[in-house]
Amino acid sequence: LLVEGLKDVRFYRNVVDATRCNITPTDGKRTALGALNLLRKSGTPGILVVLDQDFSLLNGQPYADPDIVVTDAHDLEGTLLCPAVVDRVLIESDLDPGILGPDLIDRLLGAALPLGYLRWVSEKHGLSLSFKDLDFGRFIRMDVTTDRPRLVGSVLQTNEHCRLSQTDLENLVQTLTDPAHDQLAVCCGHDLSAILALAITRATNRQITGPMIERNLRLAYDVNQFAGTRLYVSIRDWEARNHPFMVLK
């Protein structure tokens, strides 16, 4: 089983039968696809690749390869985001599960959505925008909503090479925005985790980071829920087509 990174390995170890399947991190999607091609050329059987969905389905370019399966959401972190898991993360932070509101996940998605569209705009138009050094506190309000102009301004400030004006970039985002889009396909799990981390930091006055939330999401996720995902079904389908190779427990 080829996965994109070490963090993926940490999750899939919980659902993969280690006696019948080896998990190998590949340092990114491009490397994973390259490894699959090399292994095929060498005649190695029984290779399955799990990739983040990213914007592939939204771009109308789903993977048609029978040895590639993708996450239900934009990425693994988004796939793990569900009410029971978020409640456990809040409890681990010494917070009542309802303290941030009963609609927390909807607000997290709504807050991450503009940033997800910015990422998509960057990919579609070859802008090569970096989102690594964003200060989420500059544009995420106390009620877990996003100040869109401040978001776009923050992105431009950390990407001095971008020649677009703030108005131009906002217009590109608006053109791409469609309420029919699946929010979980648009929103990046790292952004969702960073916003949740900020909300918990503000509620507890303790510094919580996005990577800490991602770790807690993996730990809090009930692996029995995995059987209800499309990814689980895709892997089982692959097993049925590739007997005697097995992946899942």
Side-chain angles (χ1 to χ4, degrees):
L1 181 69
L2 303 181
V3 298
E4 292 191 41
L6 285 172
K7 292 180 181 179
D8 297 317
V9 173
R10 294 168 191 163
F11 171 75
Y12 289 112
R13 277 177 179 163
N14 295 316
V15 298
V16 166
D17 185 345
T19 67
R20 307 186 70 176
C21 178
N22 293 320
I23 311 174
T24 302
T26 59
D27 194 28
K29 180 172 297 185
R30 183 175 297 180
T31 308
L33 295 174
L36 175 61
N37 288 332
L38 286 174
L39 289 166
R40 280 176 169 166
K41 289 179 181 178
S42 70
T44 305
I47 306 298
L48 176 64
V49 180
V50 178
L51 298 177
D52 287 341
Q53 181 187 131
D54 293 332
F55 297 112
S56 59
L57 295 184
L58 291 170
N59 284 327
Q61 298 172 337
Y63 291 97
D65 193 304
D67 295 320
I68 295 176
V69 294
V70 299
T71 54
D72 289 37
H74 185 93
D75 47 33
L76 178 60
E77 290 76 18
T79 302
L80 300 181
L81 197 75
C82 62
V85 173
V86 172
D87 284 353
R88 294 188 191 108
V89 170
L90 293 175
I91 291 170
E92 188 64 25
S93 302
D94 300 318
L95 292 173
D96 184 280
I99 195 169
L100 297 179
D103 58 344
L104 177 58
I105 290 182
D106 288 338
R107 284 187 291 128
L108 289 173
L109 288 168
L113 199 60
L115 189 46
Y117 277 116
L118 266 175
R119 290 178 181 274
W120 193 8
V121 162
S122 178
E123 179 183 293
K124 285 180 74 72
H125 295 276
L127 301 181
S128 300
L129 297 177
S130 172
F131 299 88
K132 289 183 178 179
D133 299 319
L134 286 179
D135 179 0
F136 282 74
R138 293 188 61 187
F139 51 83
I140 299 297
R141 304 185 184 99
M142 296 298 292
D143 62 350
V144 197
T145 58
T146 296
D147 183 324
R148 297 188 181 210
R150 293 196 69 175
L151 163 63
V152 175
S154 296
V155 170
L156 286 174
Q157 284 181 5
T158 58
N159 290 273
E160 295 181 355
H161 68 278
C162 183
R163 297 181 180 180
L164 293 177
S165 69
Q166 177 154 339
T167 299
D168 290 338
L169 193 51
E170 288 177 359
N171 286 340
L172 286 176
V173 170
Q174 186 59 43
T175 299
L176 200 57
T177 300
D178 186 339
H181 290 148
D182 180 357
Q183 291 183 327
L184 280 170
V186 177
C187 293
C188 173
H190 299 302
D191 297 336
L192 291 164
S193 297
I195 295 169
L196 179 55
L198 178 61
I200 293 175
T201 294
R202 288 170 171 172
T204 62
N205 203 30
R206 296 200 304 267
Q207 187 60 42
I208 306 297
T209 66
M212 292 168 64
I213 292 297
E214 291 172 17
R215 175 181 180 273
N216 287 341
L217 288 173
R218 290 192 300 270
L219 292 173
Y221 188 80
D222 183 350
V223 295
N224 293 320
Q225 293 177 255
F226 187 65
T229 64
R230 294 190 298 275
L231 177 55
Y232 173 91
V233 174
S234 296
I235 295 174
R236 287 300 192 200
D237 286 346
W238 181 90
E239 291 175 333
R241 297 193 308 270
N242 291 272
H243 182 80
F245 296 102
M246 297 295 293
V247 175
L248 301 175
K249 293 178 179 178

